[in-house]
Amino acid sequence: MGNDNGVRIVSATAVVGALVYGVLGLGDTAVLQVPWWPVVRLGASVVAGVCGVVVLVAALRARDRRAGAFGVAVLAFALAWFVPGALATALYWVPPAALVAFGVLTVRGLRGPQRAFGWIVTIAAALWFVASLLTQTVPPPSTAQEVLVVVYAIPGLLQAVAFLAAAVLVAVPLLRVVGRGAGALWSSAEVR
């Protein structure tokens, strides 16, 4: 019983970390001109960083490579906000790579809808990596404001897709409990 509760707690913290960076990815695409956005991003990174530490420690204790890859992705993204200079730049490239590893391990180890979500995470994270690399190295096709907004929104959108699909995958232990409860309610219902 205690082990099940521990798994659910780690799953809940992983969901929070994934949702934080999924929502921040969407926010980066839509809220580029709001002056308080960096403060929100900083606070959210602190919360996600704590979640990343919890998931990573639990993954190391359980020797779970899949959870470890996810914990590394969340923790590296959080640390990229707090370390200076070249280390922050290097840490920025770790989350998409770790999410690709998370997705590949999911695809290799699971079946059904979880495998489909693993593919979504893998493809979105790989495209996020490529889009980020291109936006930082290749000049945009136009200097028109509309083009620049679209070009620089693509990595944030792919980040959101990757993390939100990962949120579904890490929520599976929580969803199983809900499914069992719904099944018990259905089987005990007098009217069907």
Side-chain angles (χ1 to χ4, degrees), residues 8-164:
R8 286 192 288 265
I9 290 169
V10 171
S11 177
T13 58
V15 168
V16 169
L19 288 177
V20 163
Y21 285 124
V23 170
L24 287 179
L26 290 175
D28 285 345
T29 63
V31 192
L32 296 174
Q33 303 299 323
V34 178
W36 47 263
W37 184 246
V39 175
V40 170
R41 199 170 210 325
L42 184 66
S45 291
V46 170
V47 170
V50 171
C51 293
V53 168
V54 169
V55 172
L56 190 57
V57 167
L60 291 173
R61 292 177 80 194
R63 296 184 181 164
D64 184 352
R65 295 183 314 166
R66 186 172 157 261
F70 180 79
V72 165
V74 173
L75 185 58
F77 214 167
L79 288 176
W81 274 86
F82 299 106
V83 296
L87 185 57
T89 304
L91 283 172
Y92 178 76
W93 299 106
V94 172
L99 280 179
V100 167
F102 172 75
V104 167
L105 290 169
T106 300
V107 168
R108 288 182 57 207
L110 300 174
R111 300 281 178 242
Q114 291 180 15
R115 186 174 188 169
F117 276 99
W119 277 112
I120 293 169
V121 170
T122 303
I123 292 168
L127 290 174
W128 171 28
F129 185 86
V130 170
S132 296
L133 185 64
L134 290 175
T135 57
Q136 293 185 12
T137 58
V138 177
S142 170
T143 57
Q145 184 66 25
E146 296 81 20
V147 173
L148 292 175
V149 167
V150 170
V151 167
Y152 290 110
I154 291 171
L157 183 61
L158 292 168
Q159 169 193 332
V161 170
F163 272 110
L164 293 175

